[in-house]
Amino acid sequence: MMLSALTKKQATASHFSKAAERYQSHAHVQKQAADILLKSLGARYKVALDLGCGPFVNSFELKKRCDYLVSMDLSESMLQQGVTPSICADMDTLPFQGDCFDLIFSNFAMQWSSDLAALLTHFYRVLKPGGRAHFSIVADGTLQEIKDAFSVLDNEPHINRFVTQNDIANAVAHTPFKLISSSFCHHKIFYDSPKLALNSIKEIGANHKVNSSEQRSGLMGKRKYRALLANYPKEQGQFPVSYQVAYIVIEK
């Protein structure tokens, strides 16, 4: 069955909603990325937007740096985890008037956008002159071990298709933004078993495959699951999950 763009967005929101309560205790790489992104911020901002805020994991630190913080997420359940003024909306249709934010902060969220270039155009619209966007975005090469493990079963990727470094650079270059900084970092988290490694993306709600045009159903059989676990890459007795992350700062 073909899935519409709206249905895919709803499915993504549903997956993150199911993970809302346990997200913070499993979002290890997201925490590392947030620390890097927070260090890139200036001293003080008037009005800031935390885009894709999740369960308000960065609200405390962001409130130290701004007079007024607006938090936005696609998942209503995520927004029920905090008390900061919040809006449940799709980032691809930012529901704000022009020139209203001094800062847009977005950590580990923009990979869920349907059109990164269009999203950056929205950023330019809602930022005040001189305003900045500080964001991290998951890039191609992420979850490579999970992709490799599933290769024993079939030729399907079984993970989302992430934007490449060139995609990100081109999207920024085709906006009027001034590029302040751009860097890429390879993060790797290790688990004691392949099962824990595979479950790690489910625990944060990131196991929904938005790039698929088909909706698959049915459970994996025990034989296939054992083969999947046996095929999971191993490093020094542990099982890694890799993330390629871009860190971008742009100014209007």
Side-chain angles (χ1 to χ4, degrees), residues 19-123:
E21 293 185 1
R22 63 181 185 269
Y23 178 92
Q24 195 162 356
S25 61
H26 292 275
H28 306 301
V29 177
Q30 289 81 350
K31 177 63 167 61
Q32 294 176 10
D35 289 343
I36 292 172
L37 210 56
L38 287 165
K39 289 177 181 177
S40 73
L41 297 180
R44 194 73 188 172
Y45 303 89
K46 290 183 178 180
V47 184
L49 171 66
D50 185 3
L51 182 66
C53 63
F56 300 89
V57 291
N58 298 307
S59 294
F60 180 75
E61 291 299 325
L62 288 172
K63 284 180 179 179
K64 293 179 182 178
R65 295 168 168 83
C66 66
D67 297 332
Y68 188 81
L69 176 65
V70 177
S71 298
M72 179 178 143
D73 202 271
L74 184 63
S75 164
E76 290 185 3
S77 294
M78 286 287 188
L79 296 175
Q80 291 172 359
Q81 305 301 309
V83 295
T84 299
S86 60
I87 295 174
C88 184
D90 183 356
M91 69 176 70
D92 288 327
T93 56
L94 283 182
F96 305 106
Q97 64 183 16
D99 299 344
C100 61
F101 292 108
D102 301 282
L103 168 69
I104 295 175
F105 177 96
S106 184
N107 182 53
F108 253 73
M110 291 169 58
Q111 63 270 13
W112 301 108
S113 171
S114 300
D115 188 334
L116 178 59
L119 176 58
L120 292 178
T121 299
H122 284 300
F123 278 17

